[in-house]
Amino acid sequence: MTTFNFSDTIRSWYEIHKRDLPWRDTRDPYPIWLSEIILQQTRVNQGLPYFERFIEAFPTVQNLAAASQEEVLKLWQGLGYYSRARNLHTAAQQIADRRGIFPDNFKGLLDLKGVGSYTAAAIASFAYDEPVAVVDGNVYRVLSRYYGIDDPINETMGIKKFQKLANEVLDPKHAAQHNQAIMEFGALQCVPSSPDCKVCPLINTCKAYQTGQVDQLPVKIKKTKVLNLHHHYLVAITPSGRTILVQRPQTGIWAGLYEFPFIESNGAMLPQEITGHDVFKDVFGRLRFRESIYNQQPILHKLSHRKIHAYFWIIEVDEELDDAVTVNEMLKKPVHVLMERFIKAYWKLKK
Ligand code: SF4
């Protein structure tokens, strides 16, 4: 089978099976870029409402550039990987500085903050038909199975090999359609577990299918050890119902988002360990308080390299605290997903 047959086949499949998504069938780089950033590490179903909200709030890249970082983070809330939102905002300002005109080629697009080779290839091909192959998780899976390649997809050699192959199988006359097709094919047909190979148009020439290796490909080396962290959040409640929020540093996880002050530990903590801790004393000083734990069982949240065990401690104080905010003020602040879950449950707030 020639490479062009591969491209022909998946493009024909695509025209029949493609999902109707708002960032398709446009050559405007703004919605294409926005959708690509939102969809990194995010499923289409989850990302779609965010895309719609962003386009409604910021119809042009200049609108997005003119927004405050807090507005952007608030709209992003719940999507995770917040560095994407900050980079999106910075890149919008880069483009606004160019009178709202996007770079019109792969190399130029790489200069935008948060745009790596995958996103640059997607924008360059979808908006300008530049023949550069996209390689995302879906593409790795399709190529490794179809061509029977077991090089790990997260090691330098493997990455290079797949990038080269992806460019070789790309039909340069149909770059946009080919890239859309191979990604959609991986998302809908050649899915991670138990793909329905019987209905696949590539079944007769698929190496993995012929050799019974579908479930073993692609190969990914497990590398990272997950770190367990225990966060004890201190939820101040003043006589007027105000609470204390602090902003996280501008680097690291959840950078720039707001949260209750917290104590980090290796495990569960007793009430006297909480109230005797320096962080507690810094926040509450010598005020009189009543403490109670909201959740005995930690709420778990997995990040790529760490697992957070979250406990929320309710600290009712007898006096008002400097810098305390009202519930309404708190709701306007961008917060991370653990905070969002707790706030909704504790203050019984609807979405
Ligand atoms: S035959 Fe199965 S494994 Fe091969 S490309 Fe099709 S869906 Fe993927």
Side-chain angles (χ1 to χ4, degrees):
M1 176 151 181
T2 68
T3 50
F4 280 8
N5 282 342
F6 171 83
S7 184
D8 286 350
T9 308
I10 55 163
R11 285 188 291 109
S12 303
W13 174 94
Y14 176 70
E15 287 308 318
I16 299 165
H17 296 92
K18 68 178 173 188
R19 289 167 290 183
D20 189 16
L21 296 169
W23 50 83
R24 290 202 171 137
D25 302 321
T26 177
R27 294 284 178 163
D28 181 348
Y30 176 56
I32 293 171
W33 163 70
L34 192 57
S35 69
E36 288 303 330
I37 302 293
I38 288 174
L39 292 179
Q40 286 166 12
Q41 287 118 352
T42 301
R43 289 188 309 278
V44 167
N45 285 353
Q46 194 199 355
L48 183 55
Y50 283 88
F51 173 83
E52 286 167 343
R53 263 177 254 151
F54 265 85
I55 285 288
E56 197 186 325
F58 312 118
T60 68
V61 69
Q62 285 97 337
N63 297 142
L64 177 55
S68 70
Q69 190 187 73
E70 273 193 26
E71 280 177 272
V72 176
L73 289 173
K74 186 69 196 165
L75 217 52
W76 193 270
Q77 190 169 301
L79 256 187
Y81 300 97
Y82 287 85
S83 57
R84 287 184 292 163
R86 281 188 302 278
N87 290 342
L88 183 87
H89 193 216
T90 306
Q93 289 163 344
Q94 286 178 277
I95 299 160
D97 287 345
R98 299 164 43 101
R99 289 174 292 115
I101 299 166
F102 274 73
D104 65 358
N105 59 69
F106 175 77
K107 211 164 162 286
L109 287 159
L110 284 173
D111 289 337
L112 297 176
K113 185 93 174 159
V115 172
S117 55
Y118 162 77
T119 311
I123 303 168
S125 61
F126 301 163
Y128 312 117
D129 245 328
E130 187 174 338
V132 278
V134 291
V135 185
D136 70 348
N138 289 319
V139 176
Y140 278 122
R141 189 165 57 255
V142 173
L143 293 179
S144 74
R145 286 177 176 168
Y146 182 72
Y147 291 97
I149 300 169
D150 59 6
D151 296 64
I153 60 171
N154 55 343
E155 286 194 338
T156 313
M157 289 291 285
I159 292 169
K160 280 190 183 153
K161 191 167 185 173
F162 280 103
Q163 187 71 56
K164 187 165 173 282
L165 176 62
N167 278 314
E168 282 166 11
V169 301
L170 173 80
D171 181 343
K173 290 199 279 309
H174 303 283
Q177 191 194 31
H178 172 98
N179 277 339
Q180 298 269 19
I182 191 166
M183 290 199 292
E184 192 78 332
F185 190 81
L188 300 182
Q189 169 59 41
C190 195
V191 293
S193 68
S194 311
D196 190 359
C197 297
K198 294 271 183 295
V199 300
C200 177
L202 297 175
I203 187 169
N204 292 330
T205 42
C206 173
K207 275 266 175 55
Y209 183 78
Q210 288 166 357
T211 55
Q213 286 185 296
V214 174
D215 292 341
Q216 286 128 52
L217 294 174
V219 172
K220 196 169 183 182
I221 305 285
K222 280 211 172 84
K223 287 177 184 165
T224 47
K225 200 167 168 276
V226 174
L227 197 62
N228 279 291
L229 299 174
H230 295 253
H231 286 187
H232 298 265
Y233 290 99
L234 307 176
V235 187
I237 305 288
T238 73
S240 67
R242 288 173 157 79
T243 192
I244 292 282
L245 289 180
V246 289
Q247 190 174 21
R248 291 186 65 90
Q250 290 297 332
T251 54
I253 61 161
W254 294 329
L257 300 186
Y258 287 82
E259 62 189 354
F260 303 119
F262 73 92
I263 298 167
E264 192 168 285
S265 72
N266 293 327
M269 288 175 84
L270 295 168
Q272 56 269 35
E273 291 174 309
I274 293 287
T275 56
H277 198 281
D278 284 347
V279 171
F280 187 95
K281 289 179 184 163
D282 277 352
V283 179
F284 299 106
R286 305 177 76 84
L287 292 183
R288 281 159 35 108
F289 61 84
R290 286 165 301 287
E291 88 286 344
S292 57
I293 189 160
Y294 176 78
N295 56 310
Q296 294 282 355
Q297 291 304 318
I299 300 169
L300 299 181
H301 183 66
K302 281 188 197 161
L303 295 157
S304 48
H305 300 136
R306 46 193 112 184
K307 191 194 237 178
I308 295 180
H309 304 242
Y311 305 82
F312 290 86
W313 294 80
I314 309 298
I315 316 295
E316 291 176 85
V317 287
D318 288 350
E319 291 172 42
E320 292 301 321
L321 286 160
D322 291 344
D323 303 325
V325 294
T326 64
V327 173
N328 278 339
E329 285 165 342
M330 174 180 71
L331 293 176
K332 291 190 187 123
K333 301 284 187 194
V335 296
H336 54 72
V337 63
L338 275 172
M339 288 286 295
E340 193 182 3
R341 280 168 64 185
F342 171 80
I343 288 168
K344 275 186 190 154
Y346 185 73
W347 275 280
K348 308 269 184 299
L349 299 168
K350 296 210 175 85
K351 248 188 171 179

